[in-house]
Amino acid sequence: MLKQANPLIGLITACANCRRFRDDDGGWQRMERYIQAHTNTKFTHGLCPECATELCPDIFPVPPQI
């Protein structure tokens, strides 16, 4: 459960294609790295059901439609 929010304030420029964020020096960083550098947030990764089915169909087959 989220106990405390650490808001980013202002405008953040994100690439419309790859979703990387432009930093203060004009470089481009992955979203996770940018947010970790500007907040007290840490990331972990997983796969949502749709992506798991798309990326690993042998392990996560498409559920039957009802």
Side-chain angles (χ1 to χ4, degrees):
M1 174 187 265
L2 182 62
K3 293 182 180 179
Q4 178 182 4
N6 189 358
L8 290 170
I9 299 172
L11 294 176
I12 300 173
T13 302
C15 174
N17 182 54
C18 69
R19 303 289 192 240
R20 287 186 294 165
F21 293 171
R22 187 169 57 202
D23 61 23
D24 295 336
D25 297 324
W28 293 88
Q29 296 182 10
R30 289 181 43 175
M31 180 227 8
E32 295 92 338
R33 180 172 290 190
Y34 184 90
I35 291 175
Q36 280 183 209
H38 291 83
T39 68
N40 292 325
T41 303
K42 302 289 182 216
F43 280 85
T44 184
H45 291 85
L47 291 172
C48 71
E50 291 83 8
C51 289
T53 299
E54 179 182 332
L55 296 171
C56 307
D58 299 349
I59 300 170
F60 303 100
V62 177
Q65 297 292 326
I66 296 177

Coordinates of all heavy atoms in Angstrom, one line a residue:
M1 N 0.8 -1.2 0.0 CA 0.0 0.0 0.0 C 0.9 1.2 0.0 O 1.9 1.3 0.7 CB -0.9 0.0 1.2 CG -1.7 1.3 1.3 SD -2.7 1.4 2.9 CE -4.2 0.8 2.3
L2 N 0.5 2.2 -0.8 CA 1.2 3.5 -0.8 C 0.9 4.3 0.4 O -0.2 4.6 0.7 CB 0.8 4.3 -2.1 CG 1.5 5.6 -2.3 CD1 3.0 5.4 -2.5 CD2 1.0 6.3 -3.6
K3 N 2.0 4.6 1.2 CA 1.8 5.3 2.5 C 2.0 6.8 2.3 O 1.4 7.6 3.0 CB 2.7 4.7 3.5 CG 2.3 3.3 3.9 CD 3.1 2.8 5.0 CE 2.7 1.4 5.4 NZ 3.5 0.8 6.4
Q4 N 2.9 7.1 1.4 CA 3.3 8.6 1.3 C 3.5 8.9 -0.2 O 4.3 8.1 -0.8 CB 4.5 8.9 2.1 CG 5.0 10.3 2.0 CD 6.2 10.6 2.8 OE1 6.8 9.7 3.4 NE2 6.7 11.8 2.8
A5 N 3.0 9.9 -0.7 CA 3.2 10.3 -2.1 C 4.3 11.4 -2.1 O 4.4 12.2 -1.2 CB 2.0 10.9 -2.7
N6 N 5.2 11.3 -3.1 CA 6.3 12.2 -3.2 C 6.1 12.8 -4.7 O 6.6 12.3 -5.6 CB 7.6 11.5 -3.1 CG 8.8 12.5 -3.1 OD1 8.6 13.7 -3.2 ND2 10.0 12.0 -2.9
P7 N 5.3 13.8 -4.8 CA 4.9 14.3 -6.1 C 6.0 14.9 -6.9 O 6.8 15.6 -6.4 CB 3.8 15.3 -5.8 CG 4.1 15.8 -4.5 CD 4.7 14.7 -3.7
L8 N 6.0 14.6 -8.2 CA 6.8 15.4 -9.2 C 6.0 16.6 -9.5 O 4.8 16.5 -9.8 CB 7.1 14.6 -10.4 CG 8.0 13.4 -10.3 CD1 8.0 12.5 -11.5 CD2 9.4 13.9 -10.0
I9 N 6.6 17.8 -9.5 CA 5.8 19.0 -9.8 C 6.5 19.7 -11.0 O 7.7 19.8 -11.1 CB 5.9 20.0 -8.6 CG1 5.2 19.3 -7.4 CG2 5.2 21.3 -8.9 CD1 5.3 20.1 -6.1
G10 N 5.6 20.1 -11.9 CA 6.1 20.8 -13.1 C 5.8 19.9 -14.4 O 5.2 18.9 -14.3
L11 N 6.4 20.4 -15.5 CA 6.3 19.6 -16.7 C 7.4 18.6 -16.9 O 8.6 19.0 -16.6 CB 6.2 20.6 -17.9 CG 5.1 21.5 -18.0 CD1 5.2 22.5 -19.2 CD2 3.8 20.8 -18.1
I12 N 7.1 17.5 -17.4 CA 8.1 16.4 -17.7 C 7.9 16.1 -19.2 O 6.8 15.8 -19.6 CB 7.9 15.2 -16.9 CG1 8.0 15.5 -15.4 CG2 8.9 14.1 -17.3 CD1 7.6 14.3 -14.5
T13 N 9.0 16.3 -19.9 CA 8.9 16.0 -21.4 C 9.2 14.5 -21.6 O 10.2 14.0 -21.2 CB 10.0 16.8 -22.1 OG1 9.7 18.2 -21.9 CG2 9.9 16.5 -23.6
A14 N 8.2 13.8 -22.2 CA 8.4 12.4 -22.5 C 8.3 12.2 -24.0 O 7.6 12.9 -24.7 CB 7.2 11.6 -21.9
C15 N 9.1 11.3 -24.5 CA 9.1 10.9 -26.0 C 7.8 10.2 -26.3 O 7.4 9.3 -25.5 CB 10.3 10.0 -26.3 SG 10.2 9.4 -28.0
A16 N 7.1 10.7 -27.3 CA 5.8 10.1 -27.7 C 5.9 8.7 -28.2 O 5.0 7.9 -28.2 CB 5.2 11.0 -28.8
N17 N 7.1 8.2 -28.6 CA 7.3 6.9 -29.1 C 7.8 5.9 -28.0 O 7.2 5.0 -27.6 CB 8.2 6.9 -30.3 CG 8.4 5.5 -30.9 OD1 7.4 4.9 -31.2 ND2 9.6 5.0 -31.0
C18 N 9.0 6.2 -27.4 CA 9.6 5.3 -26.5 C 9.3 5.6 -25.0 O 9.7 4.8 -24.2 CB 11.1 5.2 -26.7 SG 12.0 6.7 -26.2
R19 N 8.7 6.7 -24.8 CA 8.3 7.1 -23.4 C 9.5 7.4 -22.5 O 9.3 7.5 -21.3 CB 7.4 6.0 -22.7 CG 6.2 5.7 -23.5 CD 5.2 6.8 -23.5 NE 3.9 6.4 -24.0 CZ 3.3 6.9 -25.0 NH1 3.9 7.9 -25.7 NH2 2.1 6.5 -25.4
R20 N 10.7 7.6 -23.0 CA 11.8 8.1 -22.2 C 11.6 9.6 -21.8 O 10.9 10.3 -22.6 CB 13.1 7.9 -22.9 CG 13.6 6.5 -23.0 CD 15.0 6.3 -23.5 NE 15.0 6.8 -24.9 CZ 16.0 7.0 -25.6 NH1 17.2 6.9 -25.1 NH2 16.0 7.4 -26.9
F21 N 12.1 10.0 -20.7 CA 11.9 11.3 -20.2 C 13.2 12.2 -20.4 O 14.3 11.6 -20.3 CB 11.7 11.4 -18.7 CG 10.3 10.7 -18.3 CD1 10.0 10.5 -17.0 CD2 9.4 10.4 -19.2 CE1 8.8 10.0 -16.6 CE2 8.1 9.9 -18.9 CZ 7.9 9.7 -17.5
R22 N 13.0 13.4 -20.8 CA 14.2 14.3 -21.0 C 14.6 14.9 -19.6 O 13.7 15.4 -18.9 CB 13.9 15.5 -21.9 CG 15.1 16.3 -22.2 CD 14.9 17.2 -23.4 NE 13.8 18.1 -23.1 CZ 13.1 18.8 -24.0 NH1 13.4 18.6 -25.3 NH2 12.1 19.6 -23.7
D23 N 15.9 14.7 -19.3 CA 16.3 15.2 -18.0 C 16.8 16.7 -18.0 O 16.7 17.3 -19.1 CB 17.4 14.3 -17.4 CG 18.7 14.3 -18.3 OD1 18.9 15.2 -19.1 OD2 19.4 13.3 -18.1
D24 N 17.2 17.2 -16.9 CA 17.6 18.6 -16.8 C 18.8 19.0 -17.7 O 19.0 20.1 -18.1 CB 17.9 19.0 -15.4 CG 16.7 18.9 -14.5 OD1 15.6 19.0 -15.0 OD2 16.9 18.7 -13.3
D25 N 19.6 18.0 -18.1 CA 20.8 18.2 -19.0 C 20.5 18.0 -20.4 O 21.3 18.1 -21.3 CB 21.9 17.3 -18.6 CG 22.4 17.6 -17.1 OD1 22.4 18.7 -16.7 OD2 22.8 16.6 -16.5
G26 N 19.2 17.7 -20.8 CA 18.8 17.5 -22.2 C 19.0 16.1 -22.6 O 18.6 15.8 -23.8
G27 N 19.4 15.2 -21.8 CA 19.6 13.8 -22.1 C 18.2 13.1 -21.9 O 17.3 13.7 -21.4
W28 N 18.1 11.9 -22.4 CA 16.9 11.1 -22.3 C 17.1 9.9 -21.5 O 18.1 9.1 -21.7 CB 16.4 10.7 -23.7 CG 16.0 11.9 -24.5 CD1 16.8 12.7 -25.3 CD2 14.7 12.5 -24.6 NE1 16.1 13.7 -25.8 CE2 14.8 13.6 -25.4 CE3 13.5 12.1 -24.0 CZ2 13.7 14.4 -25.7 CZ3 12.4 12.9 -24.3 CH2 12.5 14.1 -25.2
Q29 N 16.2 9.7 -20.5 CA 16.3 8.5 -19.5 C 15.1 7.7 -19.6 O 14.0 8.2 -19.8 CB 16.5 9.0 -18.1 CG 17.8 9.8 -17.9 CD 17.9 10.2 -16.4 OE1 17.2 9.8 -15.6 NE2 18.9 11.0 -16.1
R30 N 15.2 6.4 -19.3 CA 14.0 5.6 -19.1 C 13.2 6.1 -18.0 O 13.7 6.7 -17.0 CB 14.5 4.1 -18.8 CG 15.1 3.5 -20.0 CD 15.5 2.1 -19.7 NE 14.4 1.4 -19.0 CZ 14.5 0.1 -18.6 NH1 15.5 -0.6 -19.0 NH2 13.5 -0.4 -17.9
M31 N 11.9 5.9 -18.0 CA 11.0 6.4 -17.0 C 11.4 6.0 -15.6 O 11.4 6.8 -14.7 CB 9.6 5.9 -17.3 CG 8.6 6.4 -16.3 SD 7.4 5.2 -15.6 CE 7.8 3.6 -16.1
E32 N 11.7 4.7 -15.4 CA 12.1 4.2 -14.1 C 13.3 5.0 -13.5 O 13.3 5.4 -12.4 CB 12.4 2.7 -14.1 CG 11.2 1.9 -14.5 CD 11.2 1.6 -16.0 OE1 11.7 2.4 -16.8 OE2 10.5 0.6 -16.4
R33 N 14.3 5.2 -14.3 CA 15.5 5.9 -13.9 C 15.2 7.3 -13.5 O 15.7 7.8 -12.5 CB 16.6 5.8 -14.9 CG 17.9 6.5 -14.4 CD 19.0 6.3 -15.4 NE 19.4 4.9 -15.3 CZ 20.5 4.3 -15.8 NH1 21.3 5.1 -16.5 NH2 20.7 3.1 -15.7
Y34 N 14.4 8.0 -14.3 CA 14.1 9.4 -14.1 C 13.3 9.5 -12.8 O 13.6 10.4 -11.9 CB 13.2 9.9 -15.3 CG 12.9 11.4 -15.1 CD1 13.8 12.4 -15.6 CD2 11.8 11.8 -14.5 CE1 13.5 13.7 -15.5 CE2 11.5 13.2 -14.3 CZ 12.4 14.1 -14.8 OH 12.1 15.5 -14.7
I35 N 12.3 8.7 -12.6 CA 11.5 8.8 -11.4 C 12.3 8.4 -10.1 O 12.2 9.1 -9.1 CB 10.2 7.9 -11.5 CG1 9.3 8.5 -12.6 CG2 9.5 7.8 -10.2 CD1 8.1 7.7 -12.9
Q36 N 13.1 7.4 -10.2 CA 14.0 7.1 -9.1 C 14.9 8.2 -8.7 O 15.2 8.5 -7.5 CB 14.8 5.8 -9.4 CG 14.0 4.6 -9.2 CD 14.8 3.3 -9.4 OE1 14.3 2.4 -9.8 NE2 16.1 3.3 -9.2
A37 N 15.4 9.0 -9.7 CA 16.3 10.1 -9.4 C 15.6 11.3 -8.8 O 16.2 12.1 -8.2 CB 17.0 10.5 -10.7
H38 N 14.3 11.4 -9.1 CA 13.6 12.6 -8.6 C 12.6 12.3 -7.5 O 11.9 13.2 -7.0 CB 12.8 13.2 -9.8 CG 13.8 13.8 -10.8 ND1 14.4 13.1 -11.8 CD2 14.2 15.1 -11.0 CE1 15.1 13.9 -12.5 NE2 15.0 15.1 -12.0
T39 N 12.5 11.1 -7.0 CA 11.6 10.8 -5.9 C 12.3 9.7 -5.0 O 13.4 9.3 -5.3 CB 10.2 10.2 -6.4 OG1 10.5 8.9 -7.0 CG2 9.6 11.1 -7.4
N40 N 11.6 9.2 -4.0 CA 12.0 8.1 -3.2 C 11.4 6.8 -3.6 O 11.2 5.9 -2.8 CB 11.7 8.4 -1.7 CG 12.5 9.6 -1.2 OD1 13.6 9.8 -1.5 ND2 11.8 10.4 -0.3
T41 N 11.2 6.7 -4.9 CA 10.5 5.5 -5.4 C 11.5 4.5 -6.0 O 12.5 4.9 -6.6 CB 9.5 5.9 -6.6 OG1 8.6 6.9 -6.1 CG2 8.8 4.8 -7.1
K42 N 11.3 3.2 -5.7 CA 12.0 2.1 -6.3 C 11.1 1.3 -7.2 O 9.9 1.3 -6.9 CB 12.6 1.2 -5.2 CG 13.5 1.9 -4.3 CD 14.8 2.4 -4.9 CE 15.7 3.0 -3.9 NZ 16.5 4.1 -4.4
F43 N 11.6 0.7 -8.2 CA 10.8 -0.1 -9.2 C 11.1 -1.5 -9.1 O 12.2 -1.9 -8.9 CB 11.0 0.4 -10.6 CG 10.2 1.7 -10.9 CD1 10.7 2.9 -10.6 CD2 9.0 1.6 -11.5 CE1 10.1 4.1 -10.9 CE2 8.3 2.8 -11.8 CZ 8.8 4.0 -11.5
T44 N 10.1 -2.3 -9.4 CA 10.3 -3.7 -9.6 C 9.4 -4.0 -10.9 O 8.5 -3.2 -11.2 CB 9.8 -4.6 -8.4 OG1 10.1 -6.0 -8.8 CG2 8.4 -4.4 -8.1
H45 N 9.7 -5.1 -11.6 CA 9.0 -5.3 -12.8 C 8.3 -6.6 -12.8 O 8.7 -7.6 -12.2 CB 9.9 -5.2 -14.0 CG 10.4 -3.8 -14.3 ND1 11.5 -3.3 -13.6 CD2 9.9 -2.8 -15.0 CE1 11.7 -2.0 -14.0 NE2 10.8 -1.7 -14.8
G46 N 7.2 -6.7 -13.6 CA 6.5 -7.9 -13.8 C 5.8 -7.8 -15.1 O 6.1 -6.9 -15.9
L47 N 4.9 -8.7 -15.5 CA 4.2 -8.7 -16.7 C 2.7 -8.7 -16.4 O 2.2 -9.5 -15.6 CB 4.5 -9.9 -17.6 CG 5.9 -10.0 -18.2 CD1 6.1 -11.3 -18.9 CD2 6.1 -8.8 -19.2
C48 N 2.0 -7.8 -17.0 CA 0.5 -7.8 -16.9 C 0.0 -9.1 -17.7 O 0.8 -9.6 -18.5 CB -0.1 -6.6 -17.4 SG 0.0 -6.3 -19.2
P49 N -1.2 -9.5 -17.5 CA -1.7 -10.7 -18.2 C -1.6 -10.6 -19.7 O -1.3 -11.6 -20.4 CB -3.1 -10.9 -17.7 CG -3.1 -10.2 -16.3 CD -2.1 -9.1 -16.5
E50 N -2.0 -9.4 -20.2 CA -2.0 -9.3 -21.7 C -0.5 -9.4 -22.3 O -0.3 -10.1 -23.3 CB -2.6 -7.9 -22.1 CG -4.1 -7.8 -21.9 CD -4.4 -7.5 -20.4 OE1 -3.5 -7.1 -19.6 OE2 -5.6 -7.5 -20.0
C51 N 0.4 -8.8 -21.6 CA 1.8 -8.8 -22.1 C 2.4 -10.2 -21.9 O 3.2 -10.7 -22.7 CB 2.7 -7.8 -21.4 SG 2.3 -6.1 -22.0
A52 N 2.1 -10.9 -20.8 CA 2.6 -12.2 -20.5 C 2.1 -13.2 -21.6 O 2.9 -14.0 -22.2 CB 2.1 -12.7 -19.2
T53 N 0.8 -13.1 -22.0 CA 0.3 -13.9 -23.1 C 1.0 -13.6 -24.4 O 1.3 -14.5 -25.2 CB -1.2 -13.7 -23.2 OG1 -1.9 -14.0 -22.0 CG2 -1.8 -14.5 -24.3
E54 N 1.2 -12.3 -24.7 CA 1.8 -11.9 -26.0 C 3.3 -12.4 -26.0 O 3.8 -12.9 -27.0 CB 1.7 -10.4 -26.1 CG 2.4 -9.9 -27.4 CD 2.3 -8.4 -27.5 OE1 1.4 -7.8 -27.0 OE2 3.2 -7.8 -28.2
L55 N 4.0 -12.2 -24.9 CA 5.5 -12.4 -24.9 C 5.8 -13.9 -24.6 O 6.9 -14.3 -25.1 CB 6.2 -11.5 -23.9 CG 6.1 -10.0 -24.2 CD1 6.6 -9.2 -23.0 CD2 6.8 -9.7 -25.5
C56 N 5.0 -14.5 -23.9 CA 5.3 -15.9 -23.4 C 4.1 -16.8 -23.7 O 3.6 -17.4 -22.7 CB 5.7 -15.9 -22.0 SG 7.0 -14.8 -21.5
P57 N 3.7 -17.0 -24.9 CA 2.5 -17.8 -25.1 C 2.6 -19.2 -24.7 O 1.5 -19.9 -24.5 CB 2.2 -17.6 -26.6 CG 3.5 -17.3 -27.2 CD 4.3 -16.5 -26.1
D58 N 3.8 -19.8 -24.7 CA 4.0 -21.2 -24.3 C 3.7 -21.3 -22.8 O 3.2 -22.4 -22.4 CB 5.4 -21.6 -24.5 CG 5.8 -21.6 -26.0 OD1 4.9 -21.4 -26.8 OD2 7.0 -21.7 -26.3
I59 N 3.9 -20.3 -22.0 CA 3.7 -20.4 -20.6 C 2.4 -19.8 -20.2 O 1.7 -20.3 -19.3 CB 4.9 -19.6 -19.8 CG1 6.2 -20.2 -20.2 CG2 4.6 -19.6 -18.3 CD1 7.4 -19.4 -19.7
F60 N 1.9 -18.8 -20.9 CA 0.7 -18.1 -20.6 C -0.2 -18.1 -21.8 O -0.3 -17.1 -22.5 CB 0.9 -16.6 -20.1 CG 1.9 -16.5 -19.0 CD1 3.2 -16.2 -19.1 CD2 1.4 -16.7 -17.7 CE1 4.0 -16.0 -18.0 CE2 2.2 -16.5 -16.6 CZ 3.5 -16.2 -16.8
P61 N -0.9 -19.2 -22.0 CA -1.7 -19.3 -23.2 C -2.9 -18.3 -23.1 O -3.3 -17.9 -22.1 CB -2.2 -20.7 -23.2 CG -2.1 -21.2 -21.8 CD -1.0 -20.4 -21.2
V62 N -3.5 -18.0 -24.3 CA -4.6 -17.1 -24.4 C -5.8 -17.8 -23.7 O -6.1 -18.9 -24.1 CB -5.0 -16.7 -25.8 CG1 -6.2 -15.9 -25.9 CG2 -3.8 -16.1 -26.5
P63 N -6.5 -17.2 -22.7 CA -7.6 -17.8 -22.1 C -8.8 -17.9 -23.1 O -8.9 -17.1 -24.0 CB -8.0 -16.9 -20.9 CG -7.3 -15.6 -21.2 CD -6.2 -15.9 -22.2
P64 N -9.6 -19.0 -23.0 CA -10.7 -19.1 -23.9 C -11.7 -18.0 -23.7 O -11.9 -17.6 -22.6 CB -11.3 -20.5 -23.5 CG -10.7 -20.8 -22.1 CD -9.4 -20.0 -22.0
Q65 N -12.3 -17.6 -24.8 CA -13.4 -16.6 -24.7 C -14.7 -17.3 -24.3 O -15.1 -18.3 -24.8 CB -13.5 -15.9 -26.1 CG -12.3 -15.2 -26.5 CD -12.0 -14.0 -25.7 OE1 -12.9 -13.3 -25.2 NE2 -10.8 -13.7 -25.5
I66 N -15.4 -16.6 -23.4 CA -16.7 -17.2 -23.0 C -17.8 -16.3 -23.6 O -17.8 -15.2 -23.7 CB -16.8 -17.1 -21.4 CG1 -15.7 -18.0 -20.8 CG2 -18.2 -17.5 -21.0 CD1 -15.7 -18.0 -19.3

